[in-house]
Amino acid sequence: MQDLQQAIDQAIRELFNTELHAELTRTQEQFGDYATNVAMQLAGKTGQPPREAAEALAATLRKSLEGQVRDITIAGPGFINITLGDARLAVMAQAAPGYQPQTFAKQTVVTEYSDPNPFKILHAGHLYTSVVGDAISNLIAAAGGEVHRVNFGGDVGLHVGKTMWAMLQELGGEDVDKLQQIPAERRSEWMAKCYVAGTKAYEEDETAKDAIVTLNKRVYQIFADNDHESPFAHIYWTCRQWSYDYFDEFYARIGTHFEKYYPESEVAPLGLKTVTEQLAKGVYKESDNAVVFEGEPYGLHTRVFINSHGLPTYEAKDVGLIMQKWQDYHFDRSVIITGNDINEYMKVVLKSIEQFAPDLVARTTHFTHGNVKLAGGVKMSSRKGNILRAVDVLEAAHDANKAASGRDDEQAVLGAVKYAFLKQRIGADLIYDPAESVSLEGNSGPYLQYAHARARSILRKAGTTETGITDLDPLERSLARKISEYPEVLDKAVAELLPHLICTYLYELAQAFNRFYEHAKVVGDPREATRLQLVGLYADVLRHGLELLGIVAPEQL
RNA sequence: GCUCCCUUAGCUCAGCGGAUUAGAGCGUCUGUCUUCGGAACAGAAGGUCGUAGGUUCGAAUCCUACAGGGGGCACCA
């Protein structure tokens, strides 16, 4: 494709004596393979009617691209439509499955996502952000990046105070033995229940609120004293570990993996130190005994980084996290994926860091997504307790899958949920319909998994043949055309870090294949060799794309 | 009140400066082929792209205002 663009740029130089870069876009099959609107842009520059400019360009290109191109036509107000020669198209299709973008070559990239807090439960949003973060990480890795997946979570902070308070109520004091009696399978649930109770008490009961604030300080003190002995510290460390065990188990289940876990307690000191240093330099300011960053000059709002008790808030911890990531990786690019409720907050944090470390902020991208809602309109908030848990989503998908297929297949369920989450552009809220996601028909994960298995089955039946593709009949050409688009789709998905572009393409690819397969016999046909190769290329591209999405492409179902 | 984001077929979403009919899935209706895995293919109905202006040769796509919905706005995360 690049050589086509260069040929057009060259023709523009020769004919019009001007530098203008031609953007080639894929066009509808009836018009050709690629289209460009440079003639209209040229018309704007030279005053020449666009169709005339287009005709002149087309005439030159027919010569310079001879052998590559079957047809170049002008249409509408001055679009130049290019139809590739079959041989050229075949070469492109054959290169598609092995294509590797170089967008992130030799770059160190840190991706941070999921970010659950110990002492709380994993909700549907964590599942969503994990799936999205994993896919984005895969895209970067596929484009040559050295990806480090990290996770951040609040093992200190008010929510811990809340949970600890309720746990102590439940245990009737700092009773380590009683804590140990809680069976392993009930631990995460118990802690989640305590968090909800603690939150309620904090809001409704002044005495409890004071106690929780005190406990919060005691938790920080555990770190200050490096306390692993006192009963209180023992309960804290034990429950923190229970949380990590629970997270690990869940990540293993959904097939994502983190190289490093940053607990807030680990980055808080660096955050506190950094903010304090920059307070002296005037980046942060004191206000009502707290340390704040005044966002108003930048069109943002003011936020507290160190509270009046001298404790770092989430803001300071995030400063510490970003500084810590920099110290650990010296990244070329840092990608943070979170929910969009944190949008304005993050702008303030990044703006404050920009004052003393602008290069770090320049390398940082904050992606945000919306909330997961169950079709039917259930919202969730872990503060209130009526949450949609991550396991609830998977369970709903399992139930729907059993109802639809009569089977209980974890890979199909994960493929369904992941695809349902990823097929939508990142940003807005996501309405998740379990029944639709596991559907075997339409734009779904199981449909694509099946499409892959079906193609593999054909290949198994036929055995392998490798002869190279020399010519294409119209049915084959349509499929080859779609396959040949993959590198361009991948480039765009990587450049913008948008996994849904892969989803859209894979579904269109599967449709193109079904159209082909409906009318073209493969095994036993005189054109078997060519067709088998196309089936193989199709299956390889499908598998490559699904794997980028974190979805298993089964050989058979 | 200030601020950010969203609003495209009955539902869920693509499209994000270009072309005759604004696309897809689900749902609804109708056809095809005795199916190399039919979990298929072909077709119909369904949209003045929230509203009103503006910029442009050209706007669902950019700008402005308004309406409706959601998030954020100092010691929570």
Side-chain angles (χ1 to χ4, degrees):
Chain A
M1 181 173 133
Q2 281 182 352
D3 58 321
L4 294 176
Q5 284 179 329
Q6 281 163 12
I8 300 170
D9 292 350
Q10 177 64 26
I12 291 169
R13 239 171 272 136
E14 287 169 12
L15 288 169
F16 303 95
N17 194 30
T18 181
E19 286 293 329
L20 190 62
H21 181 59
E23 289 293 335
L24 275 179
T25 55
R26 287 282 179 167
T27 187
Q28 291 175 49
E29 194 163 11
Q30 52 180 313
F31 298 138
D33 296 319
Y34 291 101
T36 179
N37 62 2
V38 269
M40 268 92 91
Q41 295 175 48
L42 274 169
K45 276 187 141 186
T46 64
Q48 192 180 16
R51 281 198 72 106
E52 262 180 41
E55 291 291 356
L57 268 175
T60 304
L61 289 171
R62 282 188 196 106
K63 283 182 209 139
S64 64
L65 291 174
E66 201 176 353
Q68 304 281 311
V69 153
R70 181 205 284 169
D71 199 14
I72 298 179
T73 57
I74 313 301
F79 292 96
I80 301 173
N81 291 324
I82 298 173
T83 305
L84 300 174
D86 288 353
R88 167 68 194 258
L89 194 65
V91 167
M92 286 174 72
Q94 288 173 97
Y99 179 68
Q100 281 194 315
Q102 295 300 307
T103 322
F104 288 95
K106 297 200 173 88
Q107 288 195 31
T108 300
V109 183
V110 178
T111 58
E112 177 207 323
Y113 56 96
S114 200
D115 296 351
N117 288 328
F119 299 87
K120 289 171 77 173
I121 200 158
L122 288 164
H123 54 68
H126 290 120
L127 176 59
Y128 184 29
T129 201
S130 299
V131 168
V132 167
D134 192 46
I136 287 178
S137 303
N138 289 343
L139 282 174
I140 295 168
E146 184 190 313
V147 179
H148 302 279
R149 296 153 195 252
V150 306
N151 202 331
F152 178 52
D155 64 332
V156 290
L158 197 60
H159 67 282
V160 180
K162 289 172 181 174
T163 307
M164 286 294 282
W165 178 84
M167 291 196 302
L168 295 181
Q169 297 285 312
E170 286 262 325
L171 296 172
E174 296 173 14
D175 188 338
V176 177
D177 290 337
K178 199 168 172 194
L179 179 72
Q180 295 292 2
Q181 286 166 19
I182 297 171
E185 68 276 9
R186 286 196 46 225
R187 288 168 182 170
S188 57
E189 198 183 310
W190 181 70
M191 289 173 67
K193 199 181 81 185
C194 287
Y195 171 72
V196 172
T199 301
K200 192 161 180 278
Y202 185 85
E203 284 166 5
E204 294 171 3
D205 178 347
E206 280 299 319
T207 315
K209 184 175 175 177
D210 291 344
I212 287 168
V213 169
T214 305
L215 285 179
N216 185 26
K217 284 194 209 169
R218 282 186 68 192
V219 170
Y220 279 94
Q221 202 57 41
I222 290 173
F223 287 89
D225 298 344
N226 195 21
D227 180 358
H228 289 263
E229 300 303 320
S230 74
F232 183 73
H234 201 90
I235 291 170
Y236 172 81
W237 292 116
T238 301
C239 290
R240 194 183 91 155
Q241 190 55 47
W242 286 0
S243 279
Y244 288 149
D245 292 346
Y246 154 66
F247 295 157
D248 286 348
E249 197 183 331
F250 185 76
Y251 291 138
R253 181 178 177 194
I254 64 169
T256 192
H257 175 73
F258 293 94
E259 159 182 327
K260 189 176 280 196
Y261 195 95
Y262 289 106
E264 277 184 21
S265 61
E266 205 175 275
V267 299
L270 182 56
L272 197 58
K273 176 169 167 274
T274 307
V275 171
T276 305
E277 279 169 11
Q278 297 303 325
L279 171 65
K281 293 185 181 167
V283 171
Y284 299 99
K285 300 214 161 70
E286 274 193 69
S287 173
D288 288 344
N289 275 335
V291 177
V292 304
F293 179 78
E294 291 174 344
E296 281 73 11
Y298 309 97
L300 304 171
H301 59 267
T302 294
R303 284 203 156 262
V304 172
F305 282 65
I306 301 174
N307 69 23
S308 51
H309 302 288
L311 296 176
T313 60
Y314 195 61
E315 285 81 345
K317 293 168 194 164
D318 239 323
V319 170
L321 173 64
I322 289 171
M323 303 305 286
Q324 188 67 52
K325 280 196 246 177
W326 174 250
Q327 286 183 12
D328 291 347
Y329 295 105
H330 288 88
F331 51 78
D332 295 291
R333 184 104 179 252
S334 168
V335 179
I336 303 167
I337 300 139
T338 72
N340 58 17
D341 52 330
I342 231 168
N343 227 317
E344 295 300 298
Y345 154 87
M346 188 61 91
K347 281 186 198 167
V348 177
V349 171
L350 290 175
K351 184 54 77 180
S352 83
I353 297 172
E354 194 179 288
Q355 307 309 308
F356 56 90
D359 47 330
L360 292 201
V361 176
R363 294 167 192 225
T364 300
T365 309
H366 183 212
F367 276 102
T368 59
H369 58 256
N371 295 325
V372 178
K373 296 172 180 172
L374 219 43
V378 188
K379 220 190 143 184
M380 36 138 214
S381 153
S382 61
R383 309 246 173 87
K384 300 281 156 52
N386 58 340
I387 55 161
L388 181 60
R389 298 176 304 165
V391 289
D392 293 337
V393 173
L394 295 181
E395 221 168 88
H398 265 286
D399 290 346
N401 186 45
K402 270 181 264 182
S405 71
R407 296 199 296 164
D408 190 14
D409 178 348
E410 174 88 346
Q411 283 313 324
V413 164
L414 287 175
V417 172
K418 288 182 182 185
Y419 191 82
F421 283 6
L422 291 170
K423 74 175 176 180
Q424 186 175 131
R425 190 186 181 101
I426 300 165
D429 287 352
L430 183 129
I431 303 198
Y432 176 68
D433 184 338
E436 190 182 300
S437 79
V438 300
S439 170
L440 310 168
E441 293 164 11
N443 192 358
S444 73
Y447 173 90
L448 292 177
Q449 288 179 320
Y450 176 77
H452 179 262
R454 190 185 186 198
R456 291 292 171 205
S457 157
I458 296 164
L459 295 169
R460 263 197 307 276
K461 179 176 170 182
T464 41
T465 43
E466 280 183 47
T467 53
I469 298 171
T470 51
D471 63 321
L472 297 165
D473 73 15
L475 283 169
E476 295 157 7
R477 194 185 191 285
S478 286
L479 179 57
R481 182 181 186 274
K482 198 70 199 172
I483 293 169
S484 75
E485 272 182 51
Y486 187 56
E488 292 150 38
V489 171
L490 197 49
D491 273 340
K492 196 174 178 197
V494 165
E496 301 181 31
L497 296 179
L498 291 175
H500 83 280
L501 296 175
I502 304 284
C503 295
T504 305
Y505 169 76
L506 292 182
Y507 184 63
E508 287 171 3
L509 177 68
Q511 283 183 314
F513 176 76
N514 282 331
R515 240 167 260 141
F516 162 81
Y517 196 57
E518 179 73 14
H519 303 289
K521 190 169 172 58
V522 176
V523 177
D525 190 89
R527 296 195 57 79
E528 174 175 316
T530 294
R531 291 180 175 179
L532 269 179
Q533 284 179 78
L534 285 171
V535 173
L537 293 170
Y538 157 74
D540 287 348
V541 167
L542 194 51
R543 179 170 59 198
H544 191 266
L546 284 172
E547 284 175 354
L548 282 177
L549 301 173
I551 296 171
V552 171
E555 292 293 313
Q556 52 192 317
L557 295 180

